[in-house]
Amino acid sequence: RERRTPAPRSLADELRGWDDDALACLLARRPDLAVPPPADLTGLAARAGGRAGVLHALNRLDTAEVQVLEVLAALPEPVAEAEVSRRWGADATGPLGVLRALALVWGPADGLRLVRAARDLVGPHPAGLGPPLADALGRRSPQRLADLLDDLGLPATGDPETALRRLTGHLGDPDVVAALLARAPDDARAVLDRLTWDTPVGSVDRADRAIRAATAASPVEWLLATGLLSGADPGHVVLPREIGLVLRGGVVHRRPEPGPPPLRTQVRPASHARGTAVAAAAEAVRRVAALGEAWGETPPPVLRSGGLGVRELRRTAQALGVTDAAAAVLVEVACAAGLVADDGETDPRWAPTPAFDDWLATTTGARWATLAGAWLTTTRTPHLVGTRDGRNAPRTALGPDLDRPSAPVVRAGLLAELAAAVRHGPEAPDPASVRQRLDWFRPRLASAARDALLDAAVEEAELLGVTGAGVLAPHAMALLGTAPPAPGASA
């Protein structure tokens, strides 16, 4: 007889069945799990299912993977792969494979389970669905459960737990819900429609009051009396999850998004784009050289809080013939490249470093590559110069409050989209399209701050000659191999 491998009973059991390649892939995709090295697979599983590690992994998921994870969070466990695909509205095999490889999902194909921390981080309303019927109706008193059994024509029972099981089984049947909706009073469906997609919670006075179907005086009261709505607290009603799924047509999301939106581009004249980028690159090199020479003659002081004073930045901008914003970019890039720095004296000043002289001795192309590489990988965000921090103090160039770890990731994403746009000729990607694609690749990180980072990266790339008229320059293609992993890049 063939011996069947028993189904894993935990994530640790699952990992014990993985081969070396699968474990190596897990550690490559989630390097935080290897620091410090776990003692054994039980320790690795505990770390993989920990809240901090799971949060880091979730933030790197794309939209398809997040949607499938939300489907898993919305369904009772264990759940079969086929049911996940049906509830998503598309084939979930690919996203489920990624979630399993990241140790966020475990179990056999007919009994998948989501790690508890992922379920907790998704929150109580996955994809905007309300709580399960058992939780929503469980807030009712035994008498109100008995009243609901009577109003729905179900057998009475003196046991509240039996009553709750009968009610959840009955109202969890799509045919029962459809029959109830068919005889619902006018405007009842409009109430449900408002709670189906956007939010499952609505404001209602005295939502926890006792109501019978025969005496209901409004659509909301009738919905409460029939269990299609439930009181969340005295001032709010909630649409139970099973009812919401029926109203959504049996799917969790309005539409599945298995792939990123298409990249929209605009064709540019090749000679103009190339010439603009070359001129900007040469000008950036010249201005940084002028910056080092100017600061070598008259080093500006370092502020007591760190950074470069507003007046000193303005003088630098006038000397370089650029705006204050452009000067902030050039100063930050020069510092990131190690060409200027705090001289470390008792009365500290910003001055060129010994590396500046070595940089001047190289070719223009090599100088530009140093600047472009520093811009691509630095966490510094010069576009924030002049804005206010949490203490309402102005942020200054070279100051301590300009580091944003996501900045190089956003620039790498922009570079990847720029490279995709020039595959068939000199085409510039539409910034709005790039934003939509970055949001698809990292939906949990989408924010106004990331949009600002992207807008700044577009302007900085043009200033430094990485692009010309929005098109990735031929001389910038070498940066693709030095960029940090962009959203959507395989691990």
Side-chain angles (χ1 to χ4, degrees):
R1 294 181 180 179
E2 294 183 3
R3 295 185 61 184
R4 294 184 179 181
T5 303
R9 295 172 296 176
S10 65
L11 179 59
D13 272 356
E14 173 95 2
L15 295 183
R16 290 187 189 100
W18 287 15
D19 59 26
D20 291 346
D21 289 341
L23 290 171
C25 180
L26 171 63
L27 296 177
R29 288 171 176 259
R30 298 179 61 180
D32 55 300
L33 302 184
V35 182
D40 50 30
L41 290 178
T42 300
L44 177 62
R47 192 176 298 174
R51 187 180 181 88
V54 170
L55 176 61
H56 184 71
L58 294 187
N59 288 341
R60 295 179 62 83
L61 298 180
D62 64 31
T63 294
E65 293 151 7
V66 167
Q67 284 188 334
V68 170
L69 185 124
E70 289 175 338
V71 172
L72 287 163
L75 299 178
E77 292 182 334
V79 60
E81 285 187 8
E83 179 67 2
V84 174
S85 294
R86 186 176 76 84
R87 294 293 191 176
W88 187 37
D91 184 4
T93 303
L96 282 173
V98 173
L99 297 177
R100 186 186 290 278
L102 291 171
L104 297 174
V105 170
W106 60 277
D110 60 350
L112 298 175
R113 295 180 184 271
L114 188 63
V115 296
R116 182 171 299 178
R119 187 177 295 275
D120 292 342
L121 287 167
V122 169
H125 298 155
L129 289 166
L133 272 166
D135 294 343
L137 297 179
R139 300 187 180 100
R140 301 192 181 201
S141 66
Q143 182 57 52
R144 293 184 62 200
L145 291 176
D147 291 344
L148 183 54
L149 283 172
D150 185 42
D151 283 338
L152 293 175
L154 297 176
T157 176
D159 180 19
E161 292 187 4
T162 301
L164 190 58
R165 283 197 300 270
R166 287 179 182 173
L167 289 169
T168 55
H170 184 70
L171 291 171
D173 186 343
D175 293 335
V176 170
V177 175
L180 286 172
L181 292 175
R183 59 185 179 88
D186 294 340
D187 297 331
R189 184 57 187 261
V191 173
L192 294 177
D193 287 344
R194 288 196 294 271
L195 303 177
T196 299
W197 288 107
D198 296 331
T199 174
V201 180
S203 298
V204 173
D205 291 335
R206 297 177 56 227
D208 57 346
R209 62 190 182 276
I211 302 171
R212 297 300 299 269
T215 58
S218 70
V220 171
E221 288 191 353
W222 186 88
L223 292 169
L224 286 168
T226 54
L228 297 180
L229 284 183
S230 188
D233 57 50
H236 297 88
V237 294
V238 65
L239 180 67
R241 185 171 301 175
E242 292 85 342
I243 310 301
L245 282 171
V246 173
L247 295 171
R248 292 184 179 193
V251 295
V252 173
H253 298 89
R254 196 183 296 270
R255 65 180 181 278
E257 297 184 51
L263 180 64
R264 299 189 299 274
T265 61
Q266 296 176 335
V267 178
R268 298 281 193 262
S271 58
H272 172 68
R274 187 183 306 109
T276 301
V278 169
E283 193 65 8
V285 169
R286 185 192 69 78
R287 285 169 173 158
V288 171
L291 167 70
E293 292 172 359
W295 284 11
E297 295 177 0
T298 310
V302 177
L303 295 177
R304 183 175 300 176
S305 59
L308 181 69
V310 174
R311 286 180 295 179
E312 297 296 340
L313 177 64
R314 185 166 294 120
R315 291 193 187 100
T316 299
Q318 291 171 351
L320 300 181
V322 296
T323 64
D324 290 0
V329 174
L330 295 171
V331 165
E332 287 286 352
V333 169
C335 187
L339 305 181
V340 297
D342 179 341
D343 62 9
E345 299 294 334
T346 304
D347 183 19
R349 292 181 174 273
W350 296 106
T353 66
F356 177 73
D357 293 329
D358 296 336
W359 178 77
L360 281 179
T362 61
T363 64
T364 299
R367 282 184 253 171
W368 178 84
T370 298
L371 298 179
W375 165 77
L376 185 62
T377 57
T378 183
T379 58
R380 304 288 294 174
T381 53
H383 72 281
L384 293 178
V385 171
T387 62
R388 299 272 174 175
D389 62 16
R391 297 171 296 177
N392 202 34
R395 296 184 175 95
T396 59
L398 303 179
D401 194 31
L402 296 185
D403 281 291
R404 299 293 183 272
S406 59
V409 178
V410 171
R411 295 189 194 109
L414 171 63
L415 204 66
E417 299 300 333
L418 289 166
V422 299
R423 286 174 183 165
H424 304 293
E427 298 184 13
D430 174 38
S433 177
V434 173
R435 183 174 294 111
Q436 291 169 0
R437 287 173 62 84
L438 291 183
D439 287 349
W440 186 91
F441 282 116
R442 294 289 184 270
R444 289 177 57 88
L445 298 182
S447 65
R450 189 172 73 172
D451 290 347
L453 279 172
L454 177 61
D455 292 340
V458 170
E459 295 180 3
E460 292 161 5
E462 201 75 10
L463 173 69
L464 297 174
V466 175
T467 60
V471 179
L472 184 65
H475 57 261
M477 295 297 289
L479 292 176
L480 295 173
T482 62
S490 59

